[in-house]
Amino acid sequence: MRRSRGFAAALALSLAGTGAGAVLGLVPQAAAITPPVAFTADALSTWQPNGVVWALAEAGGTVFVGGTFSAVRPPDGSGGAEQSAVNFAALDAATGAPTSCHLSFTVGAGTATVRALTLSPDKQTLYAGGYFGAVNGTPVSSLAAIDVATCTVKTGFRPAFAATVRALAVTGDTVYAGGDFLTVAGQPRQRFAAVDATDGALRPFTADADEPGRAVEVTPDGEHVVLGGDFFTVNGTNTHALAVVDATSGALTKTYAGFIETNSVVKDIATDATGFYTANEGTGGGVFDGRIALNLSDFNQRWRDTCLGATQAVLPYLNVLYSASHAHDCSSVGEYPDGQRHHLLAQPTTSVGKLGWAPDTNDGIGEGIGPRVMTVGSKGGVQYLWVGGEFTTVNGSAQQSLTRFASTGDTGAPTVPVATAASFRPGEAQVRWRTSLDLDDSALTYRIYRNGSGTPIATVAADSLFFKRPQASWTDTTVAAGQSYTYRVTATDAAGNTSALSATASVTVPTSVDAYPDRVRADGAQLFWRYDDASLPNVADSSASGNQNGVHLNAPALRQTPGAVSGASTAIGFNGTDTRVYGDQRQTIGGSYTIETWFRTNTTRGGKLFGFGNNQVRGSSQYDKHIYMTNDGRLVYGVYTGATRTITTSASYNDNQWHHVVATQGPGGMVLYVDGAQKGTLAVTTHENYAGYWHAGGDSLGAWPNPPTSEFWAGQLDETAVYPSVLSAAQVQNHYALATAPADSVVQVQAAEDTYANAGAPEGNYGGSSSLAVRGTSLYTSYLRFNLPAAPAGTVLKSASLSVKTSTMSGAGTADTVSVVPVTGAWTEAGTTYNNRPATGAVALGSFAGVPDGSAVHTTGLDTAALAGALGTSYGLALTSPGTDALWLWSSEAAANEGTPQLTLTFGAP
């Protein structure tokens, strides 16, 4: 075969003799990686060939590399000279550098290549197969035996294979080969043969196939040989791509006619103590490209992974099956849809579900396949997973054809969370973030930091995979109405690698319930996209469950105003060409559901506003449960039941005004509402049943009735929600009415001027300083000026709060109470000193009852009536203290102020 079976065979035999638990204890699991994954995803520095690697094997801490290349060179950026390596190299398993073993595989005519390497059970002999006529000048014929200790050809081993050997497996006395050959030592042997392990004499084993053999594996008990390849018959019996034969005679034990698609082949086979696993590649449509697990007890299928993207190699190791492929579509097994290629995957040997290990390569040179072969090497108590192929990058960095991953030393930190925060009622603030990606850890720990504190206020554990990154959330129930808060989130893996802090997520807690979102949540929305996100690529889910986040595609326009709901909520804009949002969570939709959104447009090209489809980034091939617009602005709600079933409005809605659309389906059929009024019904209770994703702003429409010019929609959306039930007409009308009612608005005002007076420097002015100070004795008083807005028409000031941020100075906090009082005298930032400081009022508008050390934002409520009387004016506040423990704050000039000092004003209906 194309890689060492020595390690796998030894592991399998040990498992068979002692039990799985005993063997697992021999190789320490990397505690810093999410079990049962055994290797990090961090690629190690490795010498690299200048061609394609087809075969790997390992013995005594040395990894043998075979392929089609002429030299190996140091890792990119490390310096050093290239070394000649003619289709073979021996590298140190721990350093990735060449050893003193040099072998040259050549041929008189054509291109020599090494396609298979395997070790004898005692690891004393390396067997190499391929297409070559000499090794270091010693004549051989496409199969050679190498003494591992001396790195020399065993001249007594002289089989004669007439064509390429592509696969090898070995027992104590026999070498099994598969390939393109029709004769061995002049005797008929079609594509599979066995020779004596010592002298290469032909064995009576006969398993003649009609097409090339690509994989050979001996079962752990040594009684059977599993064959894989392109063939349709073995010994004249129908068995496509896979067969099990007697290890001595080659007689068929198990056939697989019709088991694997006729346009697919087996590229690799590997075994462990319980079964064997196939790597499959197909050509054309309707192929099988994935992996199959079969039991050793009866050679029948245990499971089948039908991911598309040709699998080249499989390697079972410590109950995990590692595979090399370019898997691009795993939707058939409930995972990711057709799209990006993923070249290295891991899954339990017991099931198809992928694990949290996903380093990646590119397709590379040659056929553009990527990785083709894997083996495990060990040195110094560390295990190394080696991967070879034709790639030219690993994890985005330049590296050709060869890489390796260790069982220890996880250094890769998770990606930075994208966090948002929202509050819909007094006393609660919801912090949300898309779970991070870590290529070898699926179980991550998130820490939430509030108001710049260095100590987390909460810790949340959440799982994620590269194709499944649901939203995680945490609700802060210690917030005060009318006050503003900031949050930042980090992600940490099991090794302690921690991401950078997320960007700051800010929120102001309302003084009364925010009626529209509160009702949407109360009515059971399972997806609620409000589109208030300030940065790409995440769309936060504001539903109570909070895990159905969306992902921006091609950068739609964010924070469009005014939104559909009065108040601070914003909308999202789509260009009608390529921008949209897709759901991050794959799901199926039940028999009852409601979809709801607000929209505004003047397009004359139509497009899909919102709907369900089976793909994410690419256009869906299954799509219904959608609302789209015709070119003349009419709305269509449709499902697919084997035929398209639709409701279409008679009126047009492309008038550049906000409109509310709701579509429901359940036992009572389909109903379409616009602006709170029913616009049509249809007695259809079913829809197409498939797993998919919600889309906003565009997806496939195909030949649906009255198809628009564009499948993408040009316009704005807001307040998109999906419910697992049918909303009643009364509920729909209530949502429409709530959105058009006045809502609270929040205005944040930063200090226009700030300074402090210092009794220790009576003539000193600190107007340009980055710091503010407060103390009773000796006196520091800080002065803040805010240009207050007038109340919006029809509203009054409902609450006010002041936020400040302590500096990074040691002991910046204070044990004393700091009062916020009005400034009654005249002052300017540039002119204020201790000697001419302005007078202040005696009645405090608010206070900080002590401020802890550590740079963080702190907020206190202020007397609403006092500030209401000053609206529309320039208003001064002073910070005073009676004690001797100074408080140090960042001024508005400081880069680290997080927008402080800042007033937060909430306006609402009287």
Side-chain angles (χ1 to χ4, degrees):
M1 211 162 174
R2 79 289 168 278
R3 63 172 168 82
S4 168
R5 296 300 177 188
F7 184 89
L11 176 64
L13 290 171
S14 298
L15 283 166
T18 63
V23 173
L24 291 178
L26 297 176
V27 183
Q29 173 73 36
I33 303 166
T34 303
V37 171
F39 302 98
T40 79
D42 304 317
L44 300 176
S45 176
T46 308
W47 280 57
Q48 48 194 328
N50 62 354
V52 178
V53 171
W54 295 97
L56 293 171
E58 184 272 345
T62 297
V63 173
F64 303 106
V65 183
T68 310
F69 49 85
S70 61
V72 292
R73 65 183 186 277
D76 278 22
S78 65
E82 182 178 273
Q83 295 183 14
S84 174
V86 183
N87 302 315
F88 178 87
L91 305 180
D92 186 282
T95 67
T99 70
S100 59
C101 178
H102 299 281
L103 297 172
S104 185
F105 288 74
T106 58
V107 69
T111 301
T113 183
V114 174
R115 292 299 181 103
L117 293 170
T118 194
L119 273 298
S120 59
D122 60 9
K123 293 202 172 188
Q124 301 297 309
T125 303
L126 172 69
Y127 295 93
Y131 178 69
F132 46 83
V135 180
N136 283 1
T138 299
V140 293
S141 183
S142 294
L143 180 60
I146 311 299
D147 182 78
V148 172
T150 62
C151 189
T152 57
V153 178
K154 290 190 172 184
T155 57
F157 181 80
R158 296 293 299 276
F161 283 79
T164 303
V165 172
R166 298 182 179 274
L168 292 172
V170 62
T171 63
D173 59 3
T174 304
V175 178
Y176 297 91
D180 301 348
F181 51 85
L182 300 177
T183 63
V184 179
Q187 300 297 311
R189 291 292 190 276
Q190 296 179 16
R191 280 90 183 194
F192 293 100
V195 299
D196 185 275
T198 302
D199 61 12
L202 186 64
R203 296 284 198 186
F205 175 91
T206 301
D208 290 341
D210 60 334
E211 296 290 345
R214 298 185 182 274
V216 181
E217 189 68 57
V218 181
T219 58
D221 60 11
E223 295 182 0
H224 298 92
V225 178
V226 187
L227 312 177
D230 301 2
F231 52 82
F232 290 86
T233 65
V234 173
N235 292 338
T237 299
N238 291 333
T239 179
H240 174 53
L242 185 66
V244 180
V245 298
D246 181 82
T248 301
S249 67
L252 281 160
T253 300
K254 176 75 173 181
T255 60
Y256 296 91
F259 183 68
I260 295 173
E261 283 74 357
T262 57
N263 54 353
S264 298
V265 302
V266 170
K267 299 296 292 286
D268 187 24
I269 300 171
T271 63
D272 63 13
T274 64
F276 63 96
Y277 308 86
T278 68
N280 304 271
E281 177 185 81
T283 303
V287 301
F288 174 55
D289 271 347
R291 294 154 289 283
I292 303 174
L294 301 101
N295 300 317
L296 286 174
S297 57
D298 57 9
F299 304 125
N300 288 328
Q301 178 176 295
R302 180 191 308 162
W303 52 256
R304 179 180 292 225
D305 185 333
T306 53
C307 288
L308 293 175
T311 307
Q312 304 298 310
V314 286
L315 176 64
Y317 180 74
L318 298 184
N319 301 321
V320 173
L321 184 69
Y322 298 88
S323 59
S325 69
H326 56 262
H328 58 84
D329 185 354
C330 288
S331 57
S332 63
V333 292
E335 295 171 340
Y336 54 92
D338 195 12
Q340 180 183 345
R341 291 185 169 195
H342 300 276
H343 295 85
L344 295 168
L345 299 173
Q347 60 199 110
T349 55
T350 56
S351 66
V352 301
K354 306 303 180 295
L355 297 170
W357 184 81
D360 205 12
T361 73
N362 64 354
D363 290 342
I365 60 176
E367 295 179 44
I369 293 293
R372 289 185 173 274
V373 61
M374 299 182 292
T375 197
V376 173
S378 176
K379 191 169 185 179
V382 178
Q383 319 307 313
Y384 299 91
L385 175 63
W386 284 69
V387 179
E390 55 196 62
F391 48 84
T392 57
T393 67
V394 179
N395 291 342
S397 298
Q399 176 69 21
Q400 184 170 347
S401 299
L402 200 59
T403 190
R404 61 202 177 96
F405 307 94
S407 61
T408 60
D410 181 11
T411 61
T415 57
V416 180
V418 178
T420 62
S423 182
F424 309 114
R425 54 176 52 239
E428 293 181 4
Q430 184 189 50
V431 186
R432 305 83 59 91
W433 61 94
R434 187 188 190 197
T435 47
S436 296
L437 173 62
D438 190 292
L439 295 179
D440 46 31
D441 289 279
S442 56
L444 300 177
T445 299
Y446 298 89
R447 292 178 174 84
I448 301 99
Y449 299 84
R450 189 173 77 176
N451 291 346
S453 171
T455 301
I457 191 172
T459 300
V460 174
D463 292 347
S464 58
L465 297 166
F466 68 91
F467 59 89
K468 187 178 182 181
R469 296 172 60 188
Q471 179 174 288
S473 65
W474 171 76
T475 299
D476 188 351
T477 58
T478 65
V479 294
Q483 295 197 21
S484 298
Y485 297 86
T486 61
Y487 299 91
R488 303 182 80 178
V489 182
T490 63
T492 303
D493 66 15
N497 301 306
T498 300
S499 74
L501 283 162
S502 71
T504 300
S506 302
V507 64
T508 298
V509 181
T511 56
S512 60
V513 171
D514 194 346
Y516 185 87
D518 190 68
R519 176 45 52 191
V520 170
R521 288 158 57 95
D523 283 345
Q526 286 189 338
L527 176 154
F528 187 19
W529 295 344
R530 305 204 71 201
Y531 306 115
D532 294 336
D533 315 283
S535 60
L536 302 170
N538 191 49
V539 179
D541 176 14
S542 293
S543 71
S545 57
N547 65 359
Q548 298 283 346
N549 56 306
V551 180
H552 299 113
L553 182 64
N554 297 323
L558 305 183
R559 297 193 64 78
Q560 302 291 288
T561 57
V565 177
S566 57
S569 184
T570 60
I572 191 170
F574 299 97
N575 62 12
T577 303
D578 61 358
T579 58
R580 57 175 161 148
V581 170
Y582 62 84
D584 217 5
Q585 191 93 322
R586 190 172 190 263
Q587 57 191 290
T588 55
I589 307 304
S592 295
Y593 64 89
T594 298
I595 54 181
E596 172 182 40
T597 195
W598 287 79
F599 68 94
R600 183 173 71 172
T601 186
N602 60 2
T603 185
T604 57
R605 302 179 72 248
K608 183 181 291 191
L609 283 71
F610 190 75
F612 196 69
N614 68 337
N615 217 319
Q616 288 179 303
V617 176
R618 299 185 180 183
S620 297
S621 59
Q622 293 175 285
Y623 39 92
D624 75 336
K625 297 174 282 295
H626 53 206
I627 299 168
Y628 62 92
M629 180 174 279
T630 62
N631 287 346
D632 60 4
R634 291 176 296 148
L635 295 174
V636 182
Y637 163 43
V639 300
Y640 186 74
T641 62
T644 58
R645 307 302 301 274
T646 60
I647 302 171
T648 305
T649 64
S650 58
S652 295
Y653 297 94
N654 55 345
D655 56 2
N656 212 30
Q657 300 296 314
W658 279 112
H659 295 284
H660 179 232
V661 58
V662 177
T664 71
Q665 186 181 30
M670 300 166 59
V671 184
L672 177 64
Y673 302 87
V674 181
D675 293 340
Q678 187 182 109
K679 297 299 180 180
T681 63
L682 194 63
V684 175
T685 60
T686 61
H687 54 77
E688 189 170 9
N689 184 25
Y690 58 93
Y693 308 84
W694 290 110
H695 296 260
D699 194 16
S700 302
L701 277 170
W704 277 68
N706 299 308
T709 300
S710 173
E711 293 183 335
F712 289 90
W713 189 72
Q716 295 178 336
L717 293 181
D718 201 2
E719 308 296 334
T720 300
V722 177
Y723 306 79
S725 60
V726 173
L727 292 186
S728 68
Q731 287 175 306
V732 173
Q733 291 161 6
N734 187 31
H735 288 198
Y736 178 66
L738 287 173
T740 55
D744 289 354
S745 61
V746 177
V747 178
Q748 293 178 326
V749 184
Q750 294 185 12
E753 293 186 278
D754 55 13
T755 187
Y756 71 97
N758 179 0
E763 297 294 335
N765 172 263
Y766 298 94
S769 172
S770 63
S771 297
L772 300 172
V774 183
R775 186 172 60 194
T777 307
S778 62
L779 186 141
Y780 295 144
T781 300
S782 288
Y783 302 94
L784 318 172
R785 187 189 308 280
F786 297 93
N787 295 323
L788 301 182
T795 68
V796 297
L797 183 66
K798 299 180 71 173
S799 68
S801 62
L802 171 68
S803 297
V804 295
K805 184 178 182 182
T806 44
S807 75
T808 52
M809 179 186 299
S810 176
T814 181
D816 299 328
T817 295
V818 175
S819 296
V820 184
V821 298
V823 178
T824 58
W827 67 281
T828 64
E829 179 181 277
T832 296
T833 68
Y834 175 80
N835 285 341
N836 68 3
R837 67 190 186 277
T840 59
V843 178
L845 306 180
S847 63
F848 298 91
V851 177
D853 289 342
S855 182
V857 175
H858 300 274
T859 301
T860 184
L862 300 180
D863 184 284
T864 303
L867 267 76
L871 291 175
T873 70
S874 177
Y875 190 67
L877 295 173
L879 302 179
T880 64
S881 169
T884 58
D885 186 9
L887 171 68
W888 289 92
L889 306 172
W890 291 123
S891 76
S892 60
E893 284 82 8
N897 62 24
E898 286 198 56
T900 61
Q902 178 177 270
L903 285 179
T904 299
L905 309 176
T906 301
F907 298 94

